[in-house]
Amino acid sequence: MSLRYASAVEWAEEQSASATPRLGILEAYALQRHPDAVALAGDDGAAIAGMLRPRGAARRAGDVAGWALGLALLAVAGAPLIGMATLMGDQWGIWRLPIEESAPVAGVCFALGAVVQLVALVAWLVRGRRRSPAWRWLSIGTAIVGVVAYAFGNGLASTAGYGAWAAWSAPIVVAIVLSAVSAGLHLLLSRPAEPAPDPVVTAPAAPPDAGTLRDALDAIAPEDRAAALADRDAAIAVLERRGLIEAERAAEARRAPLGGLHELST
């Protein structure tokens, strides 16, 4: 993966006039073509190295699977809305399925909605009846959508003389009942949500091994190391010229060895 800026100079030129530039990031951009070294150059370097690290096939597959699962859950949670829309069609009457075709679709969609409500209710009980606004509003929404769908479908079925409506409307009724019960229990019997855990205070991380960073820098070809240093110093000069750092600060930064800017105070 490539970064937004191809060099430290380019990064320095793009900094806002009101910004307080971090010298560690400047040097990380100068060393971006040497990820083994930049990963050891402080927190900023490690962050840049993480952006440079190629995404493995397993990680990409995990991302795709995560998106697919999320979309599937969204589709299942929104199934009752799809069922209602199938029965009602559009508001202009241009797209509207006959009740013989829309009723089975609505029945299946609300069956999924009923399953979601049942699972949510069981999960609520297992979790100790902890308050969950998201699930509560999903239950309320499902109940409202179900009532509208049932009333509209019932009218269509009566007009068309569609006798199978009783069977296909049963899942709608079940979804309405389950969602109403779930919403009522959430409102009346929920306990407060679990408090956030106390922050864990850890000891400060040990500074990176300077010898390891020095070894990584020494492994860079001399001409590449010189190019990174030149890019770094040129970027420092840009910040100084633009008034983003003072002359004393710029001089201190230039005196630091390559890989040492992250150790300067910010």
Side-chain angles (χ1 to χ4, degrees), residues 101-260:
E101 298 178 16
S102 60
V105 175
V108 172
C109 288
F110 277 94
L112 289 174
V115 171
V116 169
Q117 291 302 314
L118 184 60
V119 171
L121 188 58
V122 172
W124 175 73
L125 292 171
V126 170
R127 291 177 58 246
R129 297 185 285 109
R130 296 293 183 180
R131 185 175 297 124
S132 176
W135 280 117
R136 182 175 67 241
W137 283 111
L138 179 62
S139 297
I140 294 173
T142 300
I144 293 173
V145 168
V147 169
V148 173
Y150 181 82
F152 197 86
N154 202 46
L156 289 177
S158 298
T159 302
Y162 182 58
W165 168 249
W168 288 117
S169 64
I172 302 178
V173 175
V174 172
I176 294 172
V177 172
L178 282 175
S179 57
V181 169
S182 181
L185 292 176
H186 271 81
L187 288 170
L188 299 175
L189 300 179
S190 286
R191 299 166 56 195
E194 294 182 3
D198 295 330
V200 179
V201 179
T202 58
D209 184 358
T212 302
L213 173 57
R214 182 55 48 199
D215 292 341
L217 291 170
D218 290 343
I220 301 173
E223 60 274 16
D224 293 337
R225 192 163 56 244
L229 182 61
D231 182 31
R232 187 201 75 168
D233 290 347
I236 294 171
V238 169
L239 295 180
E240 182 182 10
R241 171 177 56 80
R242 298 184 61 206
L244 297 180
I245 58 175
E246 299 177 350
E248 295 80 2
R249 176 74 164 165
E252 180 188 19
R254 278 190 288 267
R255 286 194 300 269
L258 183 65

